[in-house]
Amino acid sequence: MPVIEKSQREDGSFSCSDFHFDADRNVYVCPNGKVLPTNGRLRGDGMFAYNSRVVDCKTCPFKPQCCPTTPSRRVTRHQYEPARDVARAIAKTAAYEQTRRDRKKVEMLFAHLKRILRMGRLRLRGPAGAQFEFTMAAIAQNLRRLAKLTFHPPDPAGPRVA
Ligand code: SF4
């Protein structure tokens, strides 16, 4: 699944992605090269806050793009951000693109099951009933696909004579 990014800013000011995270020191480094340390307290929303120092921002040439309305800048980082970084890295690979395309095909089949074969709900009870219904539906889908692949409409001009 792609990572949902909520930290991107649309107003032209620096987003969190403009700040570099230094994992060894556990600080963010801003576009002006200043560090933003954290107090290490985990907030209720699962985030750690990293704050710049007011004295650094006061004289910074990037202040209008960074924190125009506040004396300093705060960047937040999720407690599971390393896992999100792994997911971001995977999302840039060719294998991920392939699985995205494959997933669409599978989801199309489920949509077909639900809408055309009316499997919005199961009629038989229990796991065995569900398995039976899905097996029958899969057979129906595969027969339909087979018919599409092998059926050739008759030539309107009639059979060709050599
Ligand atoms: S305003 Fe502060 S946090 Fe933003 S780039 Fe300048 S020094 Fe860094």
Side-chain angles (χ1 to χ4, degrees):
M1 292 299 292
V3 176
I4 297 169
E5 303 285 2
K6 289 186 181 168
S7 60
Q8 288 301 109
R9 291 189 172 184
E10 307 293 334
D11 59 359
S13 60
F14 292 147
S15 295
C16 287
S17 55
D18 295 310
F19 291 72
H20 167 71
F21 183 67
D22 184 336
D24 293 336
R25 292 188 288 164
N26 190 22
V27 294
Y28 270 97
V29 180
C30 74
N32 195 30
K34 305 292 182 190
V35 294
L36 284 71
T38 177
N39 59 14
R41 250 181 261 133
L42 184 63
R43 300 190 325 197
D45 58 359
M47 298 284 202
F48 290 105
Y50 293 76
N51 296 295
S52 66
R53 296 191 325 149
V54 176
V55 285
D56 290 337
C57 298
K58 209 187 248 176
T59 55
C60 175
F62 297 122
K63 191 169 188 313
Q65 291 163 266
C66 188
C67 45
T69 57
T70 53
S72 65
R73 176 66 189 256
R74 171 175 292 175
V75 174
T76 54
R77 184 174 173 83
H78 198 272
Q79 59 178 324
Y80 300 127
E81 204 62 30
R84 288 160 58 86
D85 286 341
V86 171
R88 282 189 197 99
I90 290 171
K92 290 177 188 155
T93 61
Y96 175 82
E97 272 308 310
Q98 185 60 47
T99 57
R100 248 168 63 103
R101 282 194 288 272
D102 292 347
R103 199 169 64 226
K104 276 184 201 155
K105 286 184 201 163
V106 174
E107 283 170 4
M108 280 288 287
L109 290 175
F110 277 115
H112 181 264
L113 276 179
K114 200 172 166 186
R115 287 172 177 241
I116 311 296
L117 299 182
R118 298 189 175 277
M119 287 198 58
R121 57 188 297 225
L122 298 172
R123 283 152 190 83
L124 300 178
R125 291 183 180 211
Q131 188 182 13
F132 178 76
E133 278 194 56
F134 271 105
T135 305
M136 294 305 285
I139 290 170
Q141 277 194 320
N142 286 335
L143 285 175
R144 189 171 174 269
R145 288 173 76 189
L146 184 68
K148 266 190 181 175
L149 288 171
T150 54
F151 175 69
H152 302 289
D155 191 346
R160 291 200 186 135
V161 181

